[in-house]
Amino acid sequence: MAAIEASPAIRRFEFDYAQARTRARRVQIVSILVFAIVFFVTARMGGFFDMTDVTLASGERVSTWKIWAGLPRLGEYLGKTLPVLRWESLGADLAEWFWRWQTWLRLLLETVLIAYMATLFGVVGAFVLSFPASRNLSPNRLVLNLTRRYLEIIRTVPELVWALIFVFCFGVGPLAGVLAIGLHATGSLGKLYSEANENVDMRPVEGVKAAGGSWFQQIRYGIVPQVIPNIISYTLLRFEINVRASSIIGFVGAGGLGQEIRTAMSLQEYTDLSALFVIIFATVILIDFLSEKLRHRIIGITGKGV
């Protein structure tokens, strides 16, 4: 039986498919090469390939990668932070481990309150600025660009740098921490809120506008009801992040547990470091659990099937 000759349309499709496969392979190969080059350059700059001399147990000195030589020291450091806990004297050992628990709990409360106030300031600022920073809602291009650049600037500067600036301006204390974290949170949340605004359905906005509503009324009735679930999720996540951040900025005198962490590191009180870590870790877990329950309650999710 003679072979049936393919039609011109089928041959054209086969040719186009082969061309597309060839282009896809080229893109894949180029992407792998670019990734490999960037990886090796970054690893080289980061010191992953640096060599160092180490002395073995036999007394022989050998040359090895610095990262492999340093890993045992990491284990040694972590081992120093672990307290001695014995079952027969567990209560006394725990009391010795958390010997400053009253001071730490007071500073933990201060840390959480710093994060709360900073999150509150960040939410208010980000919520107000997110609408002129959205491409589909900004009154004009000038307002859009100015608002976006401002949000970029304040979130580009790390919280620790803001804390140093505000400690210089207002002195040591929680006020500097609240301002530093709140300003950085405004920039970060402003970006997230504006992206949520740009993904909404614009038909309700057009309906309010057609009915003669002002720009503020379009935002109030057309945008806000759609983005509230995203705003709640982003806000609760940011609060959790701010709790951790407020534990760090105390290094520069901005209040919270950070000062205790700095003191413990300076005095090489390793078990105090692990105790502080346990306190922060438990607090973050509790906040994450409560945030999830609160978010589900507000947006009407019971948790069944989630």
Side-chain angles (χ1 to χ4, degrees):
M1 181 181 296
I4 301 177
E5 184 179 356
S7 66
I10 295 178
R11 290 198 300 270
R12 181 62 183 178
F13 172 79
E14 292 175 346
F15 177 78
D16 292 342
Y17 178 76
Q19 291 290 102
R21 287 290 300 272
T22 302
R23 287 194 297 269
R25 290 195 196 97
R26 290 174 181 171
V27 171
Q28 186 179 21
I29 293 173
V30 171
S31 300
I32 293 174
L33 289 175
V34 170
F35 173 81
I37 293 172
V38 173
F39 172 80
F40 282 107
V41 170
T42 306
R44 182 65 179 175
M45 293 177 61
F48 280 84
F49 300 139
D50 290 352
M51 305 296 289
T52 186
D53 293 333
V54 296
T55 303
L56 301 180
S58 61
E60 180 185 1
R61 291 185 62 84
V62 297
S63 181
T64 183
W65 283 352
K66 183 181 292 187
I67 188 171
W68 294 118
L71 285 178
R73 298 186 63 187
L74 175 61
E76 178 184 352
Y77 183 86
L78 293 177
K80 291 181 179 180
T81 65
L82 298 178
V84 178
L85 299 178
R86 296 166 294 236
W87 182 255
E88 60 273 11
S89 59
L90 184 61
D93 292 339
L94 288 175
E96 182 180 357
W97 190 18
F98 293 94
W99 66 287
R100 282 172 57 84
W101 66 271
Q102 292 178 326
T103 300
W104 291 342
L105 287 183
R106 178 179 59 81
L107 292 175
L108 175 64
L109 177 61
E110 183 177 282
T111 298
V112 174
L113 292 179
I114 289 174
Y116 173 78
M117 290 299 297
T119 304
L120 181 62
F121 290 158
V123 168
V124 173
F127 185 79
V128 172
L129 295 175
S130 65
F131 301 109
S134 304
R135 295 185 184 278
N136 56 337
L137 301 175
S138 186
N140 54 65
R141 183 168 294 276
L142 177 61
V143 173
L144 173 68
N145 289 328
L146 289 177
T147 309
R148 287 201 165 201
R149 299 298 83 78
Y150 173 73
L151 293 175
E152 289 171 359
I153 291 172
I154 60 177
R155 72 170 176 267
T156 299
V157 180
E159 294 104 325
L160 202 59
V161 176
W162 284 125
L164 286 169
I165 295 173
F166 290 128
V167 165
F168 176 81
C169 296
F170 304 107
V172 174
L175 176 61
V178 171
L179 295 176
I181 299 177
L183 195 60
H184 191 274
T186 299
S188 300
L189 289 176
K191 175 179 174 59
L192 296 174
Y193 291 174
S194 64
E195 291 177 350
N197 294 338
E198 291 177 349
N199 292 324
V200 300
D201 184 1
M202 292 299 293
R203 287 176 295 182
V205 180
E206 295 170 356
V208 176
K209 183 177 180 180
S214 64
W215 184 81
F216 292 99
Q217 290 173 327
Q218 296 171 35
I219 299 298
R220 168 63 182 86
Y221 298 105
I223 300 296
V224 173
Q226 298 186 63
V227 299
I228 280 295
N230 287 332
I231 288 178
I232 293 173
S233 297
Y234 293 144
T235 300
L236 294 176
L237 175 62
R238 190 67 207 183
F239 175 61
E240 178 186 331
I241 295 173
N242 288 345
V243 170
R244 294 194 294 269
S246 60
S247 303
I248 300 301
I249 60 173
F251 270 73
V252 296
L257 281 172
Q259 184 63 41
E260 284 291 307
I261 296 175
R262 180 181 180 180
T263 301
M265 294 182 66
S266 301
L267 300 178
Q268 296 184 352
E269 296 289 347
Y270 298 110
T271 54
D272 286 1
L273 282 175
S274 61
L276 291 167
F277 170 77
V278 169
I279 291 173
I280 297 173
F281 181 67
T283 303
V284 170
I285 290 179
L286 179 61
I287 291 175
D288 181 64
F289 175 78
L290 296 177
S291 298
E292 180 182 3
K293 296 298 182 182
L294 178 61
R295 184 176 69 254
H296 288 176
R297 177 66 62 86
I298 292 176
I299 65 178
I301 298 178
T302 61
K304 297 180 179 179
V306 178

